[in-house]
Amino acid sequence: MSHFQREEEEEEEEEEEAYYDFSDSDGDFDFDFVQNTKSTDITAKQARAGKDIQGIPWEGLTFSRDQYRQTRLEQYNNYENMPFSGHTSSMLRNLVWTTSKHDVYLFWNHLIIHWSPLTSTMFEVLNLSGHVAPFEHLDRPGVSYCAKTVTTDNAITNAIEIYTSPSGAAHFTSANNDCGVRDFDMERFHLSKSFVFPWAVNHTSLSPDGELLVVVGDNQQGMLVDSQTGKTVKHLRGHLDFSFASAWHPDGITFATGNQDKTCRLWDVRNLSKSVAVLKGNLGAIRSIRYTSDGQYMAMAEAADFVHIYDVKSGSGYEKEHEIDLFGEISGISFSPDTETLFIGIWDRTYGSLLEYGRHRNYTYLDSLI
């Protein structure tokens, strides 16, 4: 049995970074305050010794961590659209992406940043401040092409998914607030498919075989559609509010949807009359869902404070859970392709950070050698 936790190897002299403070980046907070309270990176060794993983100085505050946790649970306003609570939100929650164990990309304010856990360094990849006009510069380094994905005033792109088409070409699918889903050929800079749905689309997920597309948005029902035609295969009924997240298991049989009703529902394509399981959050909407590439684990992030990791392949199936308890709005989660690391982005004016958790393995077969 293996699970995710902060690295436990006591014998390592050089501890890997468990936290990086981005508070010196350009932000909305007061510069002088940040300069006077800047935190240093927190290592796994320090966290094991009792230091807060986010660098929050609880010992100097008038309340304990447990007291503040209880207050958050009681007073946090979860955004809802059904019924009419008045608390609605469109904050994006998929702003962290891992292309390898040593390459993490995240969006911070107006910057796309690359962070290397190996060297503990970061650099700016793209600056999106100010007006970015459409252009095409195929003969220059940097961004080659920029264009609007939608032409209406409601031009918000809520999510994109990059994938490889059966022909081997790189594509991406965009979920848009104008009720559209668009598929782009990234090599030809060409719109290849476009579908329109009855409501704003917040997220889509393409099945591993490329045939089916999960579509969720500003409706209690989600949809499973044909990825080539956009024709509805099945409506997904069960959630009580709007949905903002979805993800396929690598087996192509099960997939998950996350909703503002504080639940993640699991579905089986062989029987979509109802969800096969409901996973509940603690505080708010389920805004991000990720599976490891080997299908062993699924992580779901609430809007703030909690990330839940489930053992998918254990005998009980999703019943074995590891909960990560932190503070701040969660901007995204991402597993490394080798499944060994989980990165969590925290959006906070003072303690904005990138948390890194390593997969811990118990090699019980070694006991036979002792």
Side-chain angles (χ1 to χ4, degrees):
M1 172 61 196
S2 59
H3 57 280
F4 278 90
Q5 64 178 36
R6 286 191 295 271
E7 194 64 49
E8 294 286 349
E9 284 72 25
E10 296 286 352
E11 69 276 12
E12 292 186 3
E13 295 182 0
E14 295 295 326
E15 292 286 338
E16 64 180 6
E17 303 296 346
Y19 162 83
Y20 188 83
D21 174 35
F22 288 100
S23 59
D24 55 346
S25 300
D26 294 338
D28 298 328
F29 37 79
D30 183 80
F31 181 78
D32 292 335
F33 173 79
V34 172
Q35 287 290 82
N36 292 332
T37 60
K38 181 180 178 181
S39 301
T40 57
D41 299 354
I42 309 300
T43 67
K45 183 177 181 179
Q46 290 173 318
R48 287 198 303 271
K51 188 168 185 176
D52 186 84
I53 188 67
Q54 295 178 263
I56 302 175
W58 298 106
E59 64 280 358
L61 302 177
T62 58
F63 45 84
S64 67
R65 191 185 196 282
D66 290 342
Q67 290 173 326
Y68 187 60
R69 167 53 65 218
Q70 187 60 36
T71 299
R72 289 276 285 182
L73 290 172
E74 294 172 355
Q75 299 182 5
Y76 184 83
N77 285 325
N78 178 46
Y79 292 107
E80 297 177 344
N81 293 91
M82 305 288 291
F84 303 105
S85 66
H87 299 292
T88 60
S89 172
S90 60
M91 183 177 287
L92 303 180
R93 304 293 181 155
N94 294 284
L95 305 180
V96 177
W97 194 258
T98 310
T99 57
S100 78
K101 186 177 181 179
H102 305 305
D103 296 281
V104 187
Y105 295 86
L106 66 154
F107 189 83
W108 185 260
N109 293 317
H110 54 264
L111 302 175
I112 296 178
I113 296 171
H114 172 272
W115 164 251
S116 171
L118 182 64
T119 61
S120 298
T121 57
M122 70 172 182
F123 65 86
E124 175 187 315
V125 177
L126 190 61
N127 190 325
L128 299 175
S129 62
H131 177 66
V132 181
F135 62 84
E136 183 173 342
H137 300 309
L138 303 184
D139 58 344
R140 302 181 187 178
V143 179
S144 300
Y145 185 81
C146 177
K148 294 182 67 175
T149 58
V150 295
T151 57
T152 63
D153 292 335
N154 193 11
I156 299 174
T157 297
N158 292 314
I160 64 170
E161 181 183 18
I162 302 172
Y163 71 96
T164 302
S165 70
S167 66
H171 280 239
F172 76 85
T173 302
S174 68
N176 301 109
N177 234 40
D178 67 348
C179 306
V181 171
R182 296 167 174 84
D183 187 279
F184 292 86
D185 186 324
M186 297 172 63
E187 296 181 3
R188 295 166 34 187
F189 306 108
H190 173 70
L191 175 64
S192 58
K193 294 191 291 284
S194 179
F195 310 130
V196 177
F197 297 94
W199 24 259
V201 180
N202 295 324
H203 200 270
T204 64
S205 291
L206 185 67
S207 62
D209 61 9
E211 295 183 359
L212 298 172
L213 188 70
V214 178
V215 181
V216 297
D218 288 0
N219 193 280
Q220 291 171 283
Q221 296 183 22
M223 300 174 71
L224 187 67
V225 305
D226 186 295
S227 65
Q228 300 303 312
T229 65
K231 182 180 179 180
T232 302
V233 175
K234 192 73 175 180
H235 288 277
L236 307 175
R237 297 179 173 88
H239 281 301
L240 306 178
D241 209 302
F242 295 174
S243 294
F244 285 84
S246 61
W248 281 88
H249 187 279
D251 65 8
I253 297 174
T254 57
F255 61 90
T257 54
N259 193 276
Q260 286 186 156
D261 62 10
K262 302 183 184 180
T263 70
C264 171
R265 287 182 177 264
L266 304 173
W267 308 84
D268 189 318
V269 295
R270 296 167 297 187
N271 182 6
L272 293 168
S273 59
K274 64 177 182 178
S275 57
V276 296
V278 180
L279 309 176
K280 296 182 179 180
N282 299 325
L283 196 72
I286 307 304
R287 291 295 191 120
S288 186
I289 305 171
R290 294 284 186 268
Y291 281 95
T292 54
S293 58
D294 62 1
Q296 177 72 52
Y297 296 99
M298 186 199 80
M300 71 176 196
E302 300 185 41
D305 291 17
F306 292 100
V307 175
H308 308 265
I309 304 172
Y310 295 90
D311 189 334
V312 176
K313 293 187 176 181
S314 64
S316 55
Y318 291 92
E319 291 185 9
K320 191 172 183 61
E321 175 194 359
H322 177 68
E323 182 180 276
I324 298 176
D325 181 329
L326 42 85
F327 290 97
E329 303 292 306
I330 298 173
S331 60
I333 57 175
S334 182
F335 287 109
S336 60
D338 64 0
T339 78
E340 293 298 320
T341 311
L342 171 66
F343 293 93
I344 303 172
I346 305 298
W347 186 274
D348 186 82
R349 289 167 64 90
T350 304
Y351 297 104
S353 55
L354 181 67
L355 302 178
E356 177 184 356
Y357 287 82
R359 183 171 179 173
H360 181 71
R361 300 176 181 271
N362 293 324
Y363 296 106
T364 54
Y365 64 84
L366 291 177
D367 295 342
S368 62
L369 301 177
I370 300 176

